[in-house]
Amino acid sequence: MLNRVRKDLRYYLQEHQDRNNRILHYFAFLSAFVAWIFLFIDIKVTLLLAVFHYVLSWIGHFYYEGNKPAAFRYPHIGFYAGFTWFFMKTMEIITRKDIIRPWLDQSE
């Protein structure tokens, strides 16, 4: 199971190599995460944040990366690998430690 997650996360990162695209995607997933919270508070905020998520992601892909979002081809990978990357990246920011690369280098 973990090997599948690692494989999908590697693919996700391969499709998001440009630094600016990754920055935009970090904030896109932050807005998506907050949107999930607002789902139970204010649906208008949820919809606004969802649109913001896609605008940031698509700018990153079409302008910086020059490719189509992974979610167009593999929606489940774009969703769960993106959130996996977002949470792991957040832990890297908080701890100031490299977490993603060593985890991807592991095997079961």
Side-chain angles (χ1 to χ4, degrees), residues 1-11 80 102-108:
M1 175 75 172
L2 282 178
N3 280 337
R4 177 60 193 222
V5 175
R6 284 185 181 95
K7 178 184 173 196
D8 291 344
L9 185 55
R10 281 186 199 102
Y11 171 76
Y80 94 88
W103 186 78
L104 288 175
D105 291 340
Q106 292 177 6
S107 62
E108 287 186 24

Side-chain angles (χ1 to χ4, degrees), residues 45-61:
V45 173
T46 298
L47 295 174
L48 180 66
L49 289 169
V51 168
F52 186 62
H53 163 82
Y54 283 109
V55 167
L56 289 177
S57 296
W58 292 353
I59 288 171
H61 279 286

Side-chain angles (χ1 to χ4, degrees), residues 65-77:
E65 203 74 56
N67 63 14
K68 292 181 182 176
F72 283 8
R73 291 180 299 260
Y74 308 105
H76 66 286
I77 293 175

Side-chain angles (χ1 to χ4, degrees), residues 10-108:
R10 281 186 199 102
Y11 171 76
Y12 181 86
L13 292 174
Q14 179 183 342
E15 296 293 309
H16 301 83
Q17 293 184 26
D18 184 87
R19 184 179 191 274
N20 294 317
N21 186 28
R22 286 191 184 188
I23 291 168
L24 286 173
H25 272 69
Y26 184 82
F27 288 103
F29 275 98
L30 178 61
S31 70
F33 178 70
V34 174
W36 280 96
I37 295 169
F38 273 91
L39 183 63
F40 304 104
I41 300 168
D42 187 344
I43 193 69
K44 291 177 187 174
V45 173
T46 298
L47 295 174
L48 180 66
L49 289 169
V51 168
F52 186 62
H53 163 82
Y54 283 109
V55 167
L56 289 177
S57 296
W58 292 353
I59 288 171
H61 279 286
F62 295 123
Y63 183 75
Y64 290 107
E65 203 74 56
N67 63 14
K68 292 181 182 176
F72 283 8
R73 291 180 299 260
Y74 308 105
H76 66 286
I77 293 175
F79 180 78
Y80 94 88
F83 268 109
T84 300
W85 170 78
F86 168 74
F87 288 119
M88 292 178 85
K89 189 65 179 173
T90 300
M91 291 307 299
E92 285 186 343
I93 292 168
I94 291 169
T95 64
R96 296 179 184 222
K97 294 181 181 178
D98 190 10
I99 295 170
I100 298 170
R101 190 176 20 237
W103 186 78
L104 288 175
D105 291 340
Q106 292 177 6
S107 62
E108 287 186 24

